[in-house]
């Protein structure tokens, strides 16, 4: 599964982000708490450079709580400012303004000494597709579609959004990198829906996901699909067993594995199987 996927609009987004950095004070990097490393775009480090940054581990409510703590400790150890959040419930979002002000403390003090008081702090949110950016931004703004009007230098696909507590946010479209050199990274992103199912073999994808769940979250897998002993079952055997239990049967008694795979992926992405994390700190 050697995935190469770089639509033209993403190349354009990269250029827009580079051009827009001079307009903002701090970058908020949104990652998926279920795969904190794999959902970081490696291009972001080159694009953002030394611009102050805050990482937000979004979707933390559907990630493994124990691994959430482990990842927080890992990022802090590596001098990365990070918080846990969930853009659906709003959990953790009230910390963002305080964290940003703390990160920008010296800059704010310099501006205050020059008489520049109450200037809006400008943020940029970056993240790969399907990481929850729209929900995150709307929750921060307190409403949907919170445009503040056109600004010089802002091209189509971006908007300024006025937030509470003296912040303004510059939104950018999601961006992926040109090629996944590591097949496992591509797979994990596909599990969460960051890569469109239309370009994937979802039966193969689901088989590999089921093998991961068998090895790492066997009890949750067994409970959700009313399975018994699964340690010796392959991903395909798990897929057919689950398909049979869910009534995915076509004429002749054959299991509709395509339909079963779609059900399993949907239930994994919706956390119906349980709160899980796909990778552990290095």
């Amino acid at each position: 599964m050697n995935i190469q996927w770089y639509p033209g609009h993403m190349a354009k987004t990269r250029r827009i982000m580079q051009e827009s950095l001079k307009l903002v004070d701090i970058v908020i990097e949104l990652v998926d708490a279920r795969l904190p490393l794999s959902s970081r775009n490696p291009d972001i480090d080159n694009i953002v450079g030394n611009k102050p940054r805050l990482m937000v581990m979004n979707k933390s409510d559907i990630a493994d709580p124990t691994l959430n703590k482990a990842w927080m400790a890992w990022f802090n150890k590596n001098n990365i400012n990070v918080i846990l959040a969930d853009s659906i419930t709003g959990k953790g979002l009230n910390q963002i303004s305080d964290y940003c002000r703390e990160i920008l403390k010296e800059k704010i003090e310099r501006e205050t000494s020059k008489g520049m008081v109450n200037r809006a702090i400008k943020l940029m949110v970056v993240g790969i597709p399907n990481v929850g950016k729209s929900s995150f931004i709307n929750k921060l703004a307190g409403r949907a579609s919170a445009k503040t009007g056109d600004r010089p230098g802002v091209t189509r696909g971006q908007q300024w959004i006025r937030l509470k507590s003296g912040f303004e946010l510059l939104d950018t479209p999601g961006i992926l990198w040109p090629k996944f050199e590591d097949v496992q990274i591509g797979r994990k992103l596909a599990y969460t829906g960051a890569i469109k199912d239309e370009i994937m073999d979802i039966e193969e994808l689901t088989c590999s996901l089921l093998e991961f769940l068998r090895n790492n979250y066997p009890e949750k897998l067994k409970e959700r699909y009313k399975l018994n002993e699964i340690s010796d079952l392959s991903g395909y055997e798990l897929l057919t067993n689950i398909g049979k239990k869910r009534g995915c049967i076509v004429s002749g008694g054959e299991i509709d594995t395509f339909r079963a795979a779609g059900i399993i992926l949907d239930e994994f992405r919706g956390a119906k199987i349980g709160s899980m994390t796909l990778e552990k700190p290095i």
Side-chain angles (χ1 to χ4, degrees):
M1 200 160 60
N2 189 10
I3 304 165
Q4 297 189 53
W5 186 55
Y6 203 20
H9 76 274
M10 290 190 177
K12 181 180 178 182
T13 298
R14 193 184 201 281
R15 293 193 299 271
I16 292 171
M17 289 172 62
Q18 290 172 318
E19 294 166 1
S20 301
L21 272 174
K22 61 181 179 292
L23 304 175
V24 302
D25 301 301
I26 186 169
V27 173
I28 294 180
E29 180 186 2
L30 215 59
V31 300
D32 189 326
R34 296 169 296 175
L35 54 163
L37 282 188
S38 294
S39 61
R40 293 191 77 197
N41 185 336
D43 284 349
I44 292 295
D45 287 334
N46 295 327
I47 295 169
V48 174
N50 294 324
K51 181 72 68 172
R53 198 184 329 180
L54 172 65
M55 177 182 289
V56 176
M57 287 174 56
N58 195 31
K59 303 188 181 185
S60 61
D61 280 13
I62 58 174
D64 187 323
T66 300
L67 287 176
N68 278 344
K69 294 178 182 177
W71 276 112
M72 288 284 288
W74 187 87
F75 283 121
N76 286 324
K77 182 180 178 182
N78 285 276
N79 299 314
I80 297 173
N81 300 301
V82 61
I83 63 171
L84 289 174
D86 185 82
S87 58
I88 302 300
T89 63
K91 180 180 177 181
L93 299 193
N94 60 346
Q95 304 176 64
I96 289 176
S97 60
D98 289 341
Y99 268 84
C100 288
R101 290 185 188 280
E102 181 60 31
I103 294 169
L104 296 169
K105 183 178 179 180
E106 292 183 6
K107 181 176 183 178
I108 293 171
E109 289 175 349
R110 287 196 304 270
E111 291 180 348
T112 301
S113 68
K114 296 176 182 178
M116 299 170 61
V117 295
N118 298 323
R119 182 182 70 80
I121 295 174
K122 292 180 169 59
L123 318 173
M124 177 191 286
V125 176
V126 299
I128 68 171
N130 205 47
V131 79
K133 281 174 70 254
S134 295
S135 298
F136 174 80
I137 290 168
N138 287 334
K139 203 73 173 181
L140 274 184
R143 62 196 185 283
S145 302
K147 290 187 180 181
T148 63
D150 294 334
R151 297 291 182 86
V154 179
T155 59
R156 187 178 180 183
Q158 292 180 298
Q159 61 176 340
W160 283 99
I161 298 170
R162 186 172 294 117
L163 308 178
K164 301 174 183 177
S165 306
F167 285 79
E168 289 188 2
L169 184 149
L170 180 62
D171 183 26
T172 61
I175 180 173
L176 278 170
W177 49 99
K179 180 180 178 181
F180 304 104
E181 298 293 347
D182 187 332
V183 171
Q184 291 303 319
I185 290 177
R187 276 207 181 100
K188 285 183 279 189
L189 287 165
Y191 294 157
T192 65
I195 300 170
K196 292 181 180 179
D197 289 339
E198 288 80 0
I199 67 167
M200 308 296 301
D201 180 333
I202 69 163
E203 290 158 287
E204 178 190 350
L205 182 68
T206 303
C207 287
S208 65
L209 172 61
L210 288 169
E211 290 177 358
F212 172 85
L213 299 180
R214 178 200 64 200
N215 295 337
N216 293 275
Y217 295 99
E219 296 308 315
K220 291 183 178 181
L221 184 62
K222 288 193 289 185
E223 181 180 356
R224 178 65 186 176
Y225 297 110
K226 305 297 186 289
L227 301 171
N228 295 316
E229 181 54 47
I230 63 173
S231 60
D232 294 330
L233 297 182
S234 67
Y236 185 75
E237 288 170 328
L238 288 167
L239 176 61
T240 54
N241 283 352
I242 294 170
K244 184 176 181 180
K245 287 181 176 290
R246 286 300 178 89
C248 301
I249 302 172
V250 295
S251 58
E254 186 177 348
I255 305 298
D256 186 345
T257 53
F258 183 83
R259 182 181 163 206
I263 290 172
I264 294 164
L265 286 175
D266 284 345
E267 294 191 352
F268 171 77
R269 292 165 184 170
K272 292 180 180 178
I273 305 175
S275 297
M276 303 174 180
T277 298
L278 296 168
E279 55 194 14
K280 299 177 181 178
I282 300 171

